[in-house]
Amino acid sequence: MLKPTDATRVHATAAGTGPTRRQLPQWIAHLPPCNAACPAGHNIQGWLGHALAGRWRQAWDLMLDENPFPAVCGRACYHPCESKCNRGELDAAVGIHAVERLVGDMARQEKWSPLRREPTGRRVLIVGAGPAGLSCAYHLARLGHTVEVREATEEPGGMMRWGIPAYRLPRDVVGDEIARIAAMGVTIACGQKVEDVLAEKEKGAFDAVFLAVGAQASNRLNIPAADGRRLIDGVTLLAEAERGQAPRLGRVVGVIGGGNTAMDVARVAKRLGAEEAVLIFRYDRPHMEALPAEAAEAFAEGVKIRWLSVASRFGASGVTVEAVEMGPDGSVKPTGRFETLPADSVVMAVGQHSELDFLRNVPGVAIEPNDVVAVDD
Ligand SMILES: Cc1cc2nc3c(=O)[nH]c(=O)nc-3n(C[C@H](O)[C@H](O)[C@H](O)COP(=O)(O)OP(=O)(O)OC[C@H]3O[C@@H](n4cnc5c(N)ncnc54)[C@H](O)[C@@H]3O)c2cc1C
Ligand code: SF4
């Protein structure tokens, strides 16, 4: 006999002759797994429905309710929505990412623009013109607020411009989606690093400030460099490559790290002329930090990797690495077995942190030792 559950309603229980309906399905609206997994909070099921019916503009409008960068995300987002798509259990995930890119590109081509509400008279200062700052600027401008963004570098975009390599995210795509935000009346002032946020707030009579400074500073490992060699950091190298000012890396480049940034650095090093790019990574393959798709593309381009190795010195004869062993708890142990690999340059891609000095004089703001702002519950 069927038993009622939370999701069913017993409708008729009286026993009788012939078939008797005992339960009715009950529709319960849950967030689909794709939507729940999307960091931008996209209403994916909504806009896929519009796209399926050919209502492209409505699809775009719905995307823009959450995210002003569909053409960027349709290319650079690692699409966790698709990893969670339960259609994948049947055959393959729905190509959400590709539809987002298609609709994002239609908007660029057709020059669609979002609507703005009546001006509210409120003024907001945003520090940093990366995707976080620009998204905030867009949402506030839509609500009718006056927004000014201050950006330290010479162009807006943050890591969309200075980090993610152009072969993965073409700069005209970034430029078009930023131009649309600027066209809503958002002021984006570049080359203006904010050093004293309270003074800026007061000077501009802003009602609020949104901080979106990202994580610009590379973490560094204490690896001695000799014979005039110096270790380069990954995000600096990527930004210099973007500016056309990358240093000469030589024939063989060692890259310390095994995350997505390390993959980008190794691939960029090859594009800058290195014949070999070798990742030096402290864990084994199952513990690789890069997404499998990012790593697969790098390996397909000939990037090599030394698993279970840590760099201990860089000098004229190359980079000395020590083999390590991994314990079951994920900890690594030195083995005392050293080897010197040829390397003309070594780049560190071992994470980044925020530079928050400009916040230190703000009353009530505490900065934790790992360079994040302390927040309460
Ligand atoms: C190499 C690399 C590749 C990546 N690839 C991908 C990818 O493929 N897909 C993906 O989804 N994510 C990727 N990411 C992560 C993604 O780029 C970041 O999560 C995202 O850029 C963070 O956005 P943000 O706006 O917080 O910070 P950022 O993009 O870092 O922007 C912060 C901005 O603030 C400015 N700023 C900082 N301090 C000040 C100040 N005091 N005054 C004024 N301006 C200031 C900076 O110059 C910068 O422009 C990648 C990151 C890196 C480093
Ligand atoms: S590809 Fe688009 S819909 Fe999917 S997770 Fe990324 S931003 Fe969200």
Side-chain angles (χ1 to χ4, degrees):
M1 184 171 131
L2 292 174
K3 291 211 178 96
T5 66
D6 283 353
T8 59
R9 256 185 304 154
V10 177
H11 202 65
T13 51
T17 53
T20 306
R21 180 185 284 171
R22 300 189 64 82
Q23 288 182 308
L24 272 185
Q26 195 178 1
W27 292 100
I28 300 176
H30 281 299
L31 209 56
C34 54
N35 187 332
C38 170
H42 264 295
N43 180 351
I44 300 168
Q45 70 282 13
W47 52 253
L48 279 179
H50 285 311
L52 188 66
R55 295 187 296 268
W56 303 108
R57 175 66 206 240
Q58 284 101 316
W60 186 77
D61 284 338
L62 205 52
M63 286 178 183
L64 269 268
D65 280 351
E66 310 297 338
N67 176 12
F69 289 108
V72 166
C73 290
R75 289 173 169 83
C77 177
Y78 300 125
H79 44 83
C81 52
E82 292 185 28
S83 316
K84 289 284 182 215
C85 173
N86 52 17
R87 174 86 204 187
E89 291 161 24
L90 186 66
D91 43 28
V94 174
I96 300 165
H97 189 226
V99 177
E100 189 177 358
R101 170 177 168 166
L102 171 75
V103 175
D105 282 352
M106 275 185 182
R108 292 170 57 222
Q109 213 173 341
E110 301 294 326
K111 306 215 176 310
W112 292 336
S113 52
L115 293 174
R116 236 197 116 140
R117 292 219 193 118
E118 287 299 303
T120 61
R122 294 297 182 106
R123 293 170 52 73
V124 182
L125 169 67
I126 295 181
V127 185
L134 292 171
S135 297
C136 179
Y138 158 79
H139 284 291
L140 292 173
R142 255 171 63 129
L143 292 170
H145 303 310
T146 301
V147 185
E148 281 187 37
V149 186
R150 303 274 158 79
E151 165 54 43
T153 68
E154 65 274 31
E155 297 273 358
M159 290 300 175
M160 297 189 291
R161 184 174 299 275
W162 305 116
I164 305 175
Y167 59 83
R168 291 207 290 116
L169 182 56
R171 298 310 188 239
D172 58 332
V173 176
V174 178
D176 285 355
E177 295 209 312
I178 295 177
R180 192 168 55 218
I181 296 171
M184 293 170 75
V186 170
T187 307
I188 307 174
C190 292
Q192 295 201 18
K193 184 169 184 178
V194 171
E195 310 274 2
D196 182 340
V197 70
L198 287 184
E200 293 284 341
K201 178 172 183 278
E202 207 171 314
K203 198 166 89 193
F206 293 105
D207 296 290
V209 182
F210 182 77
L211 303 175
V213 296
Q216 309 300 311
S218 280
N219 296 342
R220 293 194 70 87
L221 300 173
N222 191 15
I223 298 169
D227 313 319
R229 300 291 170 115
R230 106 192 140 86
L231 287 102
I232 309 164
D233 73 67
V235 283
T236 304
L237 177 69
L238 292 171
E240 285 175 352
E242 176 65 23
R243 291 185 174 99
Q245 296 167 355
R248 292 160 82 95
L249 296 171
R251 199 182 71 77
V252 185
V253 180
V255 180
I256 302 174
N260 292 326
T261 300
M263 298 296 162
D264 281 339
V265 166
R267 294 173 72 184
V268 165
K270 291 202 95 178
R271 283 166 175 75
L272 290 171
E275 286 169 33
E276 257 187 58
V278 185
L279 298 161
I280 300 163
F281 184 50
R282 61 191 336 209
Y283 300 119
D284 57 9
R285 187 183 270 272
H287 294 86
M288 187 176 61
E289 287 153 357
L291 290 170
E294 295 292 306
E297 285 184 19
F299 298 152
E301 289 179 7
V303 170
K304 297 191 179 127
I305 186 160
R306 295 282 302 221
W307 305 105
L308 292 168
S309 304
V310 296
S312 61
R313 184 180 182 276
F314 178 41
S317 50
V319 57
T320 305
V321 296
E322 180 177 10
V324 293
E325 280 168 2
M326 245 185 110
D329 61 346
S331 61
V332 292
K333 234 181 30 214
T335 61
R337 293 196 307 274
F338 290 90
E339 188 186 344
T340 299
L341 311 173
D344 301 296
S345 50
V346 173
V347 189
M348 268 191 278
V350 289
Q352 295 124 242
H353 57 273
S354 300
E355 284 174 327
L356 299 177
D357 283 347
F358 73 106
L359 279 183
R360 290 192 198 274
N361 69 347
V362 179
V365 174
I367 305 197
E368 296 196 351
N370 58 348
D371 288 312
V372 294
V373 175
V375 291
D376 59 20
D377 290 342

